[in-house]
């Protein structure tokens, strides 16, 4: 069977120990897919893997609000980021929630008939654009905002990692393109998806991450987000100061658009680290074998590559998060 991993060779999950084994155990219990390639690809960097999982678990899976709504938000994010792997995954997970008609509506690219569903899907897509008008008011209760925002930011990160480091095929032969396969795959994890586990287990895999941002105050989403920020930012050590400045300045001015093919601000392969980081941030689906080969020297392990991609991916997440219009329950009471 062809490997889904483009540039890394993760260790088999059965050989995992420590924190990585803990993530696989929680994936099996709370996500229903123990060896999800989305997280296996991060396993060369255990702290990064654990924090990415914790943010997804504490927001999408254990956070407040309906799983259907949060899957729609994640789907909107994935469509906006042009991540077919994640679009297909969330379509199947919508089948798992039991709303098969909704799943097939979005699979066709149509707008959900239910106005609330349509607004949540549009909100998710709008999060890619800093300051977008569609981001306010929330299409969900303010009390559920930490979980919805955490879900959106989680998948802004995951989409970029997936597009950079995995193939586009969710299932062998793109079998998920068939309606019967989508439905069957969803039903296989339906029991897990329809159960909302208690918050907090994801944080047990982290090292004292801190409380996190104000929009997630008092929830387990906040520390998980803080942990992912810290773990992803470690990748900046793989770049020199000039390259770090280029990444920061490019993201500071980013308006959410997809870069043109003739991207004047993208360095050539003589600055391969900056090139990879910026592609991971804004157009990860355009990373090529030549881009990775130009950067990867004998000293660069899978751990290094995963961290460099994560650094670029989180640079985009950070720009998105900083521009979100945030409302708290206290402000509306």
């Amino acid at each position: 069977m062809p490997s889904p991993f483009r540039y890394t060779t993760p260790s088999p999950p059965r050989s995992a120990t420590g924190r990585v084994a803990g993530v696989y155990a929680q994936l099996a219990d709370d996500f229903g897919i123990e060896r999800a390639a989305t997280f296996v690809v991060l396993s060369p960097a255990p702290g990064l893997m654990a924090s990415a999982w914790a943010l997804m678990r504490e927001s999408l899976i254990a956070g407040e609000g309906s799983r259907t709504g949060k899957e729609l938000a994640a789907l909107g994010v994935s469509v906006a980021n042009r991540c077919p792997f994640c679009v297909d995954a969330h379509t199947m997970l919508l089948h798992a929630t039991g709303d098969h008609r909704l799943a097939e509506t979005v699979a066709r690219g149509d707008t959900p008939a239910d106005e609330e569903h349509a607004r949540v899907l549009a909100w998710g897509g709008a999060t890619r654009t800093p300051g977008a008008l569609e981001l306010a008011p929330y299409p969900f209760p303010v009390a559920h905002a930490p979980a919805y925002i955490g879900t959106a930011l989680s998948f802004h990160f995951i989409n970029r990692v997936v597009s950079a480091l995995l193939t586009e095929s969710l299932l062998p032969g793109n079998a998920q393109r068939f309606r019967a396969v989508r439905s069957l795959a969803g039903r296989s994890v339906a029991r897990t998806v329809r159960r909302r586990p208690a918050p907090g287990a994801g944080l047990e895999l982290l090292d004292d991450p801190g409380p996190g941002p104000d929009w997630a105050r008092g929830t387990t989403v906040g520390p998980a987000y803080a942990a992912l920020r810290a773990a992803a930012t470690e990748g900046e050590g793989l770049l020199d100061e000039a390259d770090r400045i280029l990444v920061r300045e490019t993201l500071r001015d980013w308006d959410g658009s997809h870069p043109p093919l003739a991207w004047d601000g993208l360095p050539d392969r003589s600055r391969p680290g900056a090139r990879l980081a910026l592609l991971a941030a804004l157009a990860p689906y355009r990373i090529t074998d030549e881009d990775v080969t130009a950067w990867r020297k004998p000293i660069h392990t899978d751990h290094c590559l995963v961290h460099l991609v994560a650094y670029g991916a989180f640079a985009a997440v950070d720009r998105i998060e900083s521009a979100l219009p945030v409302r708290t329950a206290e402000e509306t009471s």
Side-chain angles (χ1 to χ4, degrees):
M1 184 179 297
S3 171
F5 308 110
R6 296 176 67 195
Y7 304 119
T8 62
T9 308
S11 298
R14 64 178 176 274
S15 68
T17 59
R19 186 151 35 180
V20 173
V23 172
Y24 289 137
Q26 290 192 12
L27 278 166
D29 290 343
D30 297 334
F31 192 48
I33 307 172
E34 179 183 5
R35 301 179 183 183
T38 312
F39 294 98
V40 176
V41 75
L42 293 172
S43 62
L48 192 57
M49 179 193 191
S51 56
W53 159 248
L55 180 57
M56 192 185 86
R57 183 198 185 277
E58 300 305 318
S59 56
L60 175 71
I61 298 172
E64 294 291 334
S66 80
R67 180 67 180 265
T68 296
K70 288 178 288 184
E71 288 292 345
L72 282 169
L75 177 64
V77 169
S78 301
V79 170
N81 288 330
R82 301 180 183 175
C83 182
F85 182 106
C86 292
V87 168
D88 289 339
H90 292 297
T91 301
M92 290 197 306
L93 288 166
L94 281 170
H95 272 290
T97 68
D99 202 329
H100 304 291
R101 179 176 297 178
L102 175 61
E104 288 307 304
T105 296
V106 296
R108 295 191 300 270
D110 294 339
T111 301
D114 182 277
E115 183 180 354
E116 181 178 336
H117 287 163
R119 289 179 60 220
V120 170
L121 181 65
W123 177 87
T127 59
R128 180 177 167 97
T129 304
L133 295 177
E134 296 89 342
L135 296 175
Y138 293 149
F140 41 76
V142 172
H144 299 170
Y148 274 89
I149 292 173
T151 295
L153 296 175
S154 174
F155 283 97
H156 275 296
F157 180 77
I158 289 172
N159 288 169
R160 287 165 168 80
V161 170
V162 164
S163 292
L165 299 177
L166 299 181
T167 66
E168 291 187 355
S169 296
L170 179 64
L171 297 175
N174 277 325
Q176 74 281 353
R177 302 296 163 84
F178 297 99
R179 176 174 181 164
V181 173
R182 291 194 294 268
S183 178
L184 182 61
R187 292 173 194 274
S188 71
V189 294
R191 180 174 297 180
T192 303
V193 167
R194 296 177 195 180
R195 174 178 59 86
R196 184 159 75 95
L203 303 189
E204 297 171 5
L205 301 170
L206 307 178
D207 297 326
D208 192 21
D214 284 347
W215 53 262
R217 186 187 311 138
T219 73
T220 56
V221 176
Y225 183 81
L228 181 57
R229 179 198 287 125
T233 304
E234 289 179 15
E236 70 178 2
L238 294 162
L239 301 179
D240 62 27
E241 183 60 20
D243 285 349
R244 290 195 292 269
I245 290 172
L246 176 63
V247 172
R248 286 196 295 267
E249 290 182 347
T250 301
L251 270 295
R252 181 192 62 202
D253 298 331
W254 179 53
D255 62 1
S257 61
H258 288 266
L261 290 177
W263 180 3
D264 293 337
L266 182 67
D268 63 26
R269 295 191 183 100
S270 68
R271 297 176 69 180
R275 181 181 177 90
L276 272 178
L278 284 173
L279 284 169
L282 304 186
Y285 46 82
R286 282 166 50 184
I287 291 176
T288 66
D289 296 356
E290 292 77 13
D291 294 323
V292 175
T293 299
W295 172 77
R296 197 158 193 178
K297 307 303 180 188
I299 61 171
H300 291 146
T301 62
D302 284 356
H303 173 92
C304 298
L305 179 59
V306 168
H307 264 291
L308 181 58
V309 167
Y311 169 67
F314 201 84
V317 175
D318 191 49
R319 168 76 172 113
I320 290 165
E321 189 267 347
S322 68
L324 285 173
V326 173
R327 297 170 64 216
T328 65
E330 290 87 347
E331 292 171 340
T332 59
S333 60

